[in-house]
DNA sequence: ACGATCGTGTTTATCGATATACCACCGTGT
DNA sequence: ACACGGTGGTATATCGATAAACACGATCGT
């Protein structure tokens, strides 16, 4: 492997001069600069980012920590971040925290995080206290679903508002029994599922109805297969419903399949609304009505906040909530 | 930030002893070990991976380089890799090469790759020559779609076989005009699209038919929206077809939507087969018949090959092809 | 005419860890 | 008594880069 030293020897200057050429420091004469650039090209030298990181403390890399990569929502998010960050000359890598507690803590450990100039953390399983232990001077923007320590910038989706929009839309289109797939009835942890459940309740209250907790279904996992099974079992078990608000698009896709399994038509017999506005929603049959959480807004703001921290600012942290809107398609009347 | 030095001072030993404790080197007395572990816990010390990487040359991290993260296929792949690698005590990060040539070269640069102990590279846009320039002693497994330099291990999907299976299935079920969405007619580069096109041709020949190049449609991008538009335009333009082999599930989803747009029913009027066996395929309507490329097999083998290289073996590289199988569902008769 | 400044490089110290050689001490066999 | 191997720990050099201070001839201001 060629190092600065090799380049220096080949071009007859000191390593420091080569370093200065590489970093564009303007204390190198034009002739010397050319000679060094020539040697770099000849030897095919490339800077060792590990060494640079150790010495200078910057790597030009930002990490996006997500629970898992096979969820399309995070894929779309990662793609958006990559293009926005590329414009600022930075590089994005994606880390998976996994579903397990250990996995999330590992991803959160100083050791890992120190490898990056900044971190965008979207870990749904972590608690307030876990995040609170993270060294406060790391440029960190939380995309957390639940309230997080005030020392860090945070952007949450408009979960309550979005869920309320979705539910209100269903009630407005004549639904009388709006099941909530992915909702929670038990003790609350303030997470995404809680917030969307709250939105579902709020919409009922605003319409002068009393939410019926028997309509809250919680599949073992927020995936297509589990949601499909859950809705199928519920209907087979005699649950009466004429609409479903599924708290993610993935769950909604499972719900639509499950309803089909038991012979119910969407939207004629049961209307369905999802949440996330995944790209695929527009290509399903029926096309999925969903809540758009303004991913682009989130990405832009998150990068702005992160850049501010990486620039060394130590002002008060901001806690933002994305604006949401409803995308009405064929799965509702 | 606390360093080895701080821990050493706190526990009254040399930094080397602390390092030995951390790495389980058995030349530390039990009493000393306890004292050091206590200090580590007190100070909340965590090893600096950057420094360790620089000195020892290992970081415990493997990178998966994919074209883009918002494609569900790569998300599912990343998830599979993460769990398999976790079992061997390694950590996976995902890098996106992007659609652009520069992006791919950047991701491939020595500088980036040196940050990792090994690299799983799934870049579709790179040419043989680009990869050939990569330093040969980097543990690198290519998940490339096109033939790659022999000095690196490579695993390809069974593209030709899979496409042949899919097309033969359609012909077998009575199709007479099997359109190929995502196929190529022009000069070949040996890539995935070429290989699947070849499989489509081979199936025709095996059935005693002559493939008709007018049935090859190439959307501007292998995405849902573009494929939908392409099939819609083709049918509106008078193309006669009673089956479609879409070379990716994403394209197939677009195709199904596009056929619906022009009033054709799947599978009654037109049968459709995809390729990738994405999880979502089982939850669509109609459920998607597709080619299963044996992702799990690929992941297991790729990790085996990579571990071998990371262990320092320098034997001959292996070039493998995944076994494929057809998953028959409702989008074909 | 002489100190001050500028332009161009070089030297030295350092980031935080690990590899290697080295050292002190103890018990043991002959 | 003395060489010797084993145990437990320390000192030094090093990975490849950058920050900061230093060196020194040429030009400049007054």
């Amino acid at each position: 492997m060629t190092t600065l030293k090799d380049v220096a020897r080949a071009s007859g200057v000191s390593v420091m001069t080569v370093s200065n050429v590489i970093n564009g420091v303007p204390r190198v004469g034009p002739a010397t600069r050319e000679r060094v650039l020539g040697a770099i090209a000849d030897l095919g030298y490339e800077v060792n980012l590990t060494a640079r990181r150790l010495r200078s403390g910057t790597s030009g890399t930002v990490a996006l920590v997500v629970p898992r990569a096979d969820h399309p929502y995070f894929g779309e998010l990662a793609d958006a971040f990559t293009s926005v960050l590329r414009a600022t000359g930075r590089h994005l890598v994606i880390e998976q925290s996994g579903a397990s507690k250990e996995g999330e803590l590992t991803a959160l450990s100083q050791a890992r995080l120190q490898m990056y100039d900044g971190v965008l953390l979207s870990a749904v399983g972590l608690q307030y206290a876990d995040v609170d232990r993270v060294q406060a001077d790391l440029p960190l923007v939380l995309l957390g679903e639940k309230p997080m320590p005030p020392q860090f910038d945070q952007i949450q989706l408009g979960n309550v508002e979005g869920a309320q929009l979705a539910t209100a839309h269903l009630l407005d289109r004549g639904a009388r029994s709006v099941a909530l797939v992915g909702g929670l009835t038990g003790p609350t942890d303030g997470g995404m599922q809680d917030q969307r459940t709250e939105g579902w309740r709020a919409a009922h209250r605003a319409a002068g109805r009393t939410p019926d907790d028997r309509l809250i279904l919680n599949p073992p996992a927020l995936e297509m297969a589990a949601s499909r099974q859950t809705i199928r079992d519920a209907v087979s078990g005699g649950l009466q419903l004429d609409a479903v608000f599924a708290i993610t698009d993935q769950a909604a896709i499972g719900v639509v399949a499950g309803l089909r399994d038991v012979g119910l038509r969407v939207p004629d017999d049961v209307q369905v609304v999802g949440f996330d506005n995944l790209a695929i929603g527009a290509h399903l049959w029926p096309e999925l009505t969903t809540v758009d959480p303004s991913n682009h807004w989130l990405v832009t703001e998150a990068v702005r906040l992160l850049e501010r921290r990486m620039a060394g600012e130590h002002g008060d942290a901001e806690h933002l909530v994305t604006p949401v809107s409803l995308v009405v398609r064929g799965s509702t009347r």
Side-chain angles (χ1 to χ4, degrees), chain A residues 304-320:
Chain A
R304 178 180 67 79
L305 293 173
L306 193 65
E307 290 287 348
R308 217 180 50 175
R309 294 292 161 192
M310 292 193 294
E313 267 192 53
H314 283 289
D316 284 348
E318 296 185 27
H319 280 205
L320 306 176

mmCIF file with all atom_site columns, all heavy atoms in Angstrom, chain A residues 304-320:
data_model
loop_
_atom_site.group_PDB
_atom_site.id
_atom_site.type_symbol
_atom_site.label_atom_id
_atom_site.label_alt_id
_atom_site.label_comp_id
_atom_site.label_asym_id
_atom_site.label_entity_id
_atom_site.label_seq_id
_atom_site.pdbx_PDB_ins_code
_atom_site.Cartn_x
_atom_site.Cartn_y
_atom_site.Cartn_z
_atom_site.occupancy
_atom_site.B_iso_or_equiv
_atom_site.pdbx_formal_charge
_atom_site.auth_seq_id
_atom_site.auth_comp_id
_atom_site.auth_asym_id
_atom_site.auth_atom_id
_atom_site.pdbx_PDB_model_num
ATOM 1   N N   . ARG A 1 304 ? -29.918 19.763 7.959  1.00 0.00 ? 304 ARG A N   1
ATOM 2   C CA  . ARG A 1 304 ? -29.625 21.127 8.428  1.00 0.00 ? 304 ARG A CA  1
ATOM 3   C C   . ARG A 1 304 ? -29.183 21.098 9.891  1.00 0.00 ? 304 ARG A C   1
ATOM 4   O O   . ARG A 1 304 ? -28.163 21.675 10.267 1.00 0.00 ? 304 ARG A O   1
ATOM 5   C CB  . ARG A 1 304 ? -30.871 22.009 8.279  1.00 0.00 ? 304 ARG A CB  1
ATOM 6   C CG  . ARG A 1 304 ? -30.671 23.433 8.799  1.00 0.00 ? 304 ARG A CG  1
ATOM 7   C CD  . ARG A 1 304 ? -31.940 24.265 8.639  1.00 0.00 ? 304 ARG A CD  1
ATOM 8   N NE  . ARG A 1 304 ? -33.058 23.827 9.469  1.00 0.00 ? 304 ARG A NE  1
ATOM 9   C CZ  . ARG A 1 304 ? -33.175 24.106 10.779 1.00 0.00 ? 304 ARG A CZ  1
ATOM 10  N NH1 . ARG A 1 304 ? -32.242 24.808 11.387 1.00 0.00 ? 304 ARG A NH1 1
ATOM 11  N NH2 . ARG A 1 304 ? -34.228 23.683 11.455 1.00 0.00 ? 304 ARG A NH2 1
ATOM 12  N N   . LEU A 1 305 ? -29.938 20.391 10.705 1.00 0.00 ? 305 LEU A N   1
ATOM 13  C CA  . LEU A 1 305 ? -29.603 20.328 12.133 1.00 0.00 ? 305 LEU A CA  1
ATOM 14  C C   . LEU A 1 305 ? -28.251 19.656 12.351 1.00 0.00 ? 305 LEU A C   1
ATOM 15  O O   . LEU A 1 305 ? -27.431 20.108 13.157 1.00 0.00 ? 305 LEU A O   1
ATOM 16  C CB  . LEU A 1 305 ? -30.697 19.562 12.893 1.00 0.00 ? 305 LEU A CB  1
ATOM 17  C CG  . LEU A 1 305 ? -32.065 20.245 12.949 1.00 0.00 ? 305 LEU A CG  1
ATOM 18  C CD1 . LEU A 1 305 ? -33.101 19.324 13.576 1.00 0.00 ? 305 LEU A CD1 1
ATOM 19  C CD2 . LEU A 1 305 ? -31.984 21.557 13.721 1.00 0.00 ? 305 LEU A CD2 1
ATOM 20  N N   . LEU A 1 306 ? -28.024 18.596 11.596 1.00 0.00 ? 306 LEU A N   1
ATOM 21  C CA  . LEU A 1 306 ? -26.774 17.855 11.769 1.00 0.00 ? 306 LEU A CA  1
ATOM 22  C C   . LEU A 1 306 ? -25.575 18.708 11.344 1.00 0.00 ? 306 LEU A C   1
ATOM 23  O O   . LEU A 1 306 ? -24.550 18.750 12.023 1.00 0.00 ? 306 LEU A O   1
ATOM 24  C CB  . LEU A 1 306 ? -26.811 16.554 10.974 1.00 0.00 ? 306 LEU A CB  1
ATOM 25  C CG  . LEU A 1 306 ? -25.713 15.559 11.326 1.00 0.00 ? 306 LEU A CG  1
ATOM 26  C CD1 . LEU A 1 306 ? -25.869 15.069 12.752 1.00 0.00 ? 306 LEU A CD1 1
ATOM 27  C CD2 . LEU A 1 306 ? -25.735 14.375 10.368 1.00 0.00 ? 306 LEU A CD2 1
ATOM 28  N N   . GLU A 1 307 ? -25.731 19.392 10.227 1.00 0.00 ? 307 GLU A N   1
ATOM 29  C CA  . GLU A 1 307 ? -24.637 20.239 9.748  1.00 0.00 ? 307 GLU A CA  1
ATOM 30  C C   . GLU A 1 307 ? -24.302 21.310 10.795 1.00 0.00 ? 307 GLU A C   1
ATOM 31  O O   . GLU A 1 307 ? -23.136 21.620 11.024 1.00 0.00 ? 307 GLU A O   1
ATOM 32  C CB  . GLU A 1 307 ? -25.018 20.923 8.426  1.00 0.00 ? 307 GLU A CB  1
ATOM 33  C CG  . GLU A 1 307 ? -25.109 19.980 7.224  1.00 0.00 ? 307 GLU A CG  1
ATOM 34  C CD  . GLU A 1 307 ? -23.735 19.515 6.740  1.00 0.00 ? 307 GLU A CD  1
ATOM 35  O OE1 . GLU A 1 307 ? -22.712 20.078 7.157  1.00 0.00 ? 307 GLU A OE1 1
ATOM 36  O OE2 . GLU A 1 307 ? -23.696 18.557 5.936  1.00 0.00 ? 307 GLU A OE2 1
ATOM 37  N N   . ARG A 1 308 ? -25.323 21.828 11.412 1.00 0.00 ? 308 ARG A N   1
ATOM 38  C CA  . ARG A 1 308 ? -25.106 22.850 12.431 1.00 0.00 ? 308 ARG A CA  1
ATOM 39  C C   . ARG A 1 308 ? -24.262 22.294 13.569 1.00 0.00 ? 308 ARG A C   1
ATOM 40  O O   . ARG A 1 308 ? -23.311 22.919 14.021 1.00 0.00 ? 308 ARG A O   1
ATOM 41  C CB  . ARG A 1 308 ? -26.465 23.301 12.956 1.00 0.00 ? 308 ARG A CB  1
ATOM 42  C CG  . ARG A 1 308 ? -26.548 24.752 13.259 1.00 0.00 ? 308 ARG A CG  1
ATOM 43  C CD  . ARG A 1 308 ? -27.917 25.098 13.772 1.00 0.00 ? 308 ARG A CD  1
ATOM 44  N NE  . ARG A 1 308 ? -28.348 24.212 14.855 1.00 0.00 ? 308 ARG A NE  1
ATOM 45  C CZ  . ARG A 1 308 ? -29.481 24.378 15.525 1.00 0.00 ? 308 ARG A CZ  1
ATOM 46  N NH1 . ARG A 1 308 ? -30.299 25.344 15.186 1.00 0.00 ? 308 ARG A NH1 1
ATOM 47  N NH2 . ARG A 1 308 ? -29.799 23.554 16.491 1.00 0.00 ? 308 ARG A NH2 1
ATOM 48  N N   . ARG A 1 309 ? -24.621 21.084 14.007 1.00 0.00 ? 309 ARG A N   1
ATOM 49  C CA  . ARG A 1 309 ? -23.854 20.467 15.096 1.00 0.00 ? 309 ARG A CA  1
ATOM 50  C C   . ARG A 1 309 ? -22.427 20.160 14.661 1.00 0.00 ? 309 ARG A C   1
ATOM 51  O O   . ARG A 1 309 ? -21.478 20.356 15.411 1.00 0.00 ? 309 ARG A O   1
ATOM 52  C CB  . ARG A 1 309 ? -24.517 19.171 15.552 1.00 0.00 ? 309 ARG A CB  1
ATOM 53  C CG  . ARG A 1 309 ? -25.852 19.320 16.198 1.00 0.00 ? 309 ARG A CG  1
ATOM 54  C CD  . ARG A 1 309 ? -25.759 20.012 17.533 1.00 0.00 ? 309 ARG A CD  1
ATOM 55  N NE  . ARG A 1 309 ? -27.072 20.526 17.904 1.00 0.00 ? 309 ARG A NE  1
ATOM 56  C CZ  . ARG A 1 309 ? -27.282 21.373 18.892 1.00 0.00 ? 309 ARG A CZ  1
ATOM 57  N NH1 . ARG A 1 309 ? -26.273 21.832 19.606 1.00 0.00 ? 309 ARG A NH1 1
ATOM 58  N NH2 . ARG A 1 309 ? -28.496 21.796 19.164 1.00 0.00 ? 309 ARG A NH2 1
ATOM 59  N N   . MET A 1 310 ? -22.311 19.653 13.445 1.00 0.00 ? 310 MET A N   1
ATOM 60  C CA  . MET A 1 310 ? -20.975 19.278 12.971 1.00 0.00 ? 310 MET A CA  1
ATOM 61  C C   . MET A 1 310 ? -20.105 20.521 12.802 1.00 0.00 ? 310 MET A C   1
ATOM 62  O O   . MET A 1 310 ? -18.883 20.444 12.880 1.00 0.00 ? 310 MET A O   1
ATOM 63  C CB  . MET A 1 310 ? -21.075 18.485 11.673 1.00 0.00 ? 310 MET A CB  1
ATOM 64  C CG  . MET A 1 310 ? -21.706 17.112 11.903 1.00 0.00 ? 310 MET A CG  1
ATOM 65  S SD  . MET A 1 310 ? -21.546 15.957 10.522 1.00 0.00 ? 310 MET A SD  1
ATOM 66  C CE  . MET A 1 310 ? -22.537 16.757 9.285  1.00 0.00 ? 310 MET A CE  1
ATOM 67  N N   . ALA A 1 311 ? -20.749 21.654 12.571 1.00 0.00 ? 311 ALA A N   1
ATOM 68  C CA  . ALA A 1 311 ? -19.987 22.898 12.471 1.00 0.00 ? 311 ALA A CA  1
ATOM 69  C C   . ALA A 1 311 ? -19.568 23.384 13.854 1.00 0.00 ? 311 ALA A C   1
ATOM 70  O O   . ALA A 1 311 ? -18.884 24.397 13.981 1.00 0.00 ? 311 ALA A O   1
ATOM 71  C CB  . ALA A 1 311 ? -20.824 23.960 11.764 1.00 0.00 ? 311 ALA A CB  1
ATOM 72  N N   . GLY A 1 312 ? -19.990 22.688 14.893 1.00 0.00 ? 312 GLY A N   1
ATOM 73  C CA  . GLY A 1 312 ? -19.512 23.025 16.224 1.00 0.00 ? 312 GLY A CA  1
ATOM 74  C C   . GLY A 1 312 ? -20.455 23.877 17.051 1.00 0.00 ? 312 GLY A C   1
ATOM 75  O O   . GLY A 1 312 ? -20.126 24.255 18.169 1.00 0.00 ? 312 GLY A O   1
ATOM 76  N N   . GLU A 1 313 ? -21.629 24.166 16.513 1.00 0.00 ? 313 GLU A N   1
ATOM 77  C CA  . GLU A 1 313 ? -22.571 24.994 17.287 1.00 0.00 ? 313 GLU A CA  1
ATOM 78  C C   . GLU A 1 313 ? -23.087 24.255 18.514 1.00 0.00 ? 313 GLU A C   1
ATOM 79  O O   . GLU A 1 313 ? -23.320 23.050 18.470 1.00 0.00 ? 313 GLU A O   1
ATOM 80  C CB  . GLU A 1 313 ? -23.755 25.394 16.406 1.00 0.00 ? 313 GLU A CB  1
ATOM 81  C CG  . GLU A 1 313 ? -23.556 26.727 15.737 1.00 0.00 ? 313 GLU A CG  1
ATOM 82  C CD  . GLU A 1 313 ? -24.848 27.212 15.119 1.00 0.00 ? 313 GLU A CD  1
ATOM 83  O OE1 . GLU A 1 313 ? -25.869 27.260 15.822 1.00 0.00 ? 313 GLU A OE1 1
ATOM 84  O OE2 . GLU A 1 313 ? -24.838 27.531 13.912 1.00 0.00 ? 313 GLU A OE2 1
ATOM 85  N N   . HIS A 1 314 ? -23.284 24.989 19.567 1.00 0.00 ? 314 HIS A N   1
ATOM 86  C CA  . HIS A 1 314 ? -23.722 24.329 20.805 1.00 0.00 ? 314 HIS A CA  1
ATOM 87  C C   . HIS A 1 314 ? -25.015 24.930 21.341 1.00 0.00 ? 314 HIS A C   1
ATOM 88  O O   . HIS A 1 314 ? -25.313 24.809 22.521 1.00 0.00 ? 314 HIS A O   1
ATOM 89  C CB  . HIS A 1 314 ? -22.628 24.429 21.873 1.00 0.00 ? 314 HIS A CB  1
ATOM 90  C CG  . HIS A 1 314 ? -21.523 23.457 21.637 1.00 0.00 ? 314 HIS A CG  1
ATOM 91  N ND1 . HIS A 1 314 ? -21.682 22.108 21.828 1.00 0.00 ? 314 HIS A ND1 1
ATOM 92  C CD2 . HIS A 1 314 ? -20.263 23.635 21.200 1.00 0.00 ? 314 HIS A CD2 1
ATOM 93  C CE1 . HIS A 1 314 ? -20.549 21.507 21.525 1.00 0.00 ? 314 HIS A CE1 1
ATOM 94  N NE2 . HIS A 1 314 ? -19.669 22.409 21.135 1.00 0.00 ? 314 HIS A NE2 1
ATOM 95  N N   . GLY A 1 315 ? -25.756 25.580 20.468 1.00 0.00 ? 315 GLY A N   1
ATOM 96  C CA  . GLY A 1 315 ? -27.005 26.214 20.909 1.00 0.00 ? 315 GLY A CA  1
ATOM 97  C C   . GLY A 1 315 ? -28.034 25.190 21.377 1.00 0.00 ? 315 GLY A C   1
ATOM 98  O O   . GLY A 1 315 ? -27.774 23.997 21.429 1.00 0.00 ? 315 GLY A O   1
ATOM 99  N N   . ASP A 1 316 ? -29.190 25.695 21.716 1.00 0.00 ? 316 ASP A N   1
ATOM 100 C CA  . ASP A 1 316 ? -30.270 24.823 22.179 1.00 0.00 ? 316 ASP A CA  1
ATOM 101 C C   . ASP A 1 316 ? -30.685 23.846 21.084 1.00 0.00 ? 316 ASP A C   1
ATOM 102 O O   . ASP A 1 316 ? -30.662 24.174 19.903 1.00 0.00 ? 316 ASP A O   1
ATOM 103 C CB  . ASP A 1 316 ? -31.484 25.659 22.578 1.00 0.00 ? 316 ASP A CB  1
ATOM 104 C CG  . ASP A 1 316 ? -31.264 26.334 23.920 1.00 0.00 ? 316 ASP A CG  1
ATOM 105 O OD1 . ASP A 1 316 ? -30.289 25.960 24.600 1.00 0.00 ? 316 ASP A OD1 1
ATOM 106 O OD2 . ASP A 1 316 ? -32.055 27.227 24.270 1.00 0.00 ? 316 ASP A OD2 1
ATOM 107 N N   . ALA A 1 317 ? -31.069 22.662 21.528 1.00 0.00 ? 317 ALA A N   1
ATOM 108 C CA  . ALA A 1 317 ? -31.531 21.661 20.573 1.00 0.00 ? 317 ALA A CA  1
ATOM 109 C C   . ALA A 1 317 ? -32.945 22.000 20.117 1.00 0.00 ? 317 ALA A C   1
ATOM 110 O O   . ALA A 1 317 ? -33.723 22.609 20.845 1.00 0.00 ? 317 ALA A O   1
ATOM 111 C CB  . ALA A 1 317 ? -31.499 20.287 21.205 1.00 0.00 ? 317 ALA A CB  1
ATOM 112 N N   . GLU A 1 318 ? -33.254 21.607 18.890 1.00 0.00 ? 318 GLU A N   1
ATOM 113 C CA  . GLU A 1 318 ? -34.607 21.815 18.381 1.00 0.00 ? 318 GLU A CA  1
ATOM 114 C C   . GLU A 1 318 ? -35.347 20.488 18.372 1.00 0.00 ? 318 GLU A C   1
ATOM 115 O O   . GLU A 1 318 ? -34.775 19.450 18.066 1.00 0.00 ? 318 GLU A O   1
ATOM 116 C CB  . GLU A 1 318 ? -34.556 22.371 16.944 1.00 0.00 ? 318 GLU A CB  1
ATOM 117 C CG  . GLU A 1 318 ? -33.925 23.747 16.835 1.00 0.00 ? 318 GLU A CG  1
ATOM 118 C CD  . GLU A 1 318 ? -34.017 24.299 15.416 1.00 0.00 ? 318 GLU A CD  1
ATOM 119 O OE1 . GLU A 1 318 ? -34.949 23.920 14.669 1.00 0.00 ? 318 GLU A OE1 1
ATOM 120 O OE2 . GLU A 1 318 ? -33.140 25.108 15.044 1.00 0.00 ? 318 GLU A OE2 1
ATOM 121 N N   . HIS A 1 319 ? -36.608 20.532 18.699 1.00 0.00 ? 319 HIS A N   1
ATOM 122 C CA  . HIS A 1 319 ? -37.464 19.355 18.565 1.00 0.00 ? 319 HIS A CA  1
ATOM 123 C C   . HIS A 1 319 ? -38.574 19.688 17.577 1.00 0.00 ? 319 HIS A C   1
ATOM 124 O O   . HIS A 1 319 ? -39.422 20.530 17.863 1.00 0.00 ? 319 HIS A O   1
ATOM 125 C CB  . HIS A 1 319 ? -38.048 18.940 19.932 1.00 0.00 ? 319 HIS A CB  1
ATOM 126 C CG  . HIS A 1 319 ? -37.077 18.156 20.762 1.00 0.00 ? 319 HIS A CG  1
ATOM 127 N ND1 . HIS A 1 319 ? -37.454 17.279 21.735 1.00 0.00 ? 319 HIS A ND1 1
ATOM 128 C CD2 . HIS A 1 319 ? -35.731 18.095 20.735 1.00 0.00 ? 319 HIS A CD2 1
ATOM 129 C CE1 . HIS A 1 319 ? -36.381 16.722 22.295 1.00 0.00 ? 319 HIS A CE1 1
ATOM 130 N NE2 . HIS A 1 319 ? -35.320 17.212 21.707 1.00 0.00 ? 319 HIS A NE2 1
ATOM 131 N N   . LEU A 1 320 ? -38.508 19.048 16.420 1.00 0.00 ? 320 LEU A N   1
ATOM 132 C CA  . LEU A 1 320 ? -39.458 19.375 15.353 1.00 0.00 ? 320 LEU A CA  1
ATOM 133 C C   . LEU A 1 320 ? -40.416 18.225 15.088 1.00 0.00 ? 320 LEU A C   1
ATOM 134 O O   . LEU A 1 320 ? -40.134 17.074 15.411 1.00 0.00 ? 320 LEU A O   1
ATOM 135 C CB  . LEU A 1 320 ? -38.701 19.686 14.056 1.00 0.00 ? 320 LEU A CB  1
ATOM 136 C CG  . LEU A 1 320 ? -37.605 20.762 14.139 1.00 0.00 ? 320 LEU A CG  1
ATOM 137 C CD1 . LEU A 1 320 ? -36.893 20.887 12.796 1.00 0.00 ? 320 LEU A CD1 1
ATOM 138 C CD2 . LEU A 1 320 ? -38.218 22.094 14.550 1.00 0.00 ? 320 LEU A CD2 1
#
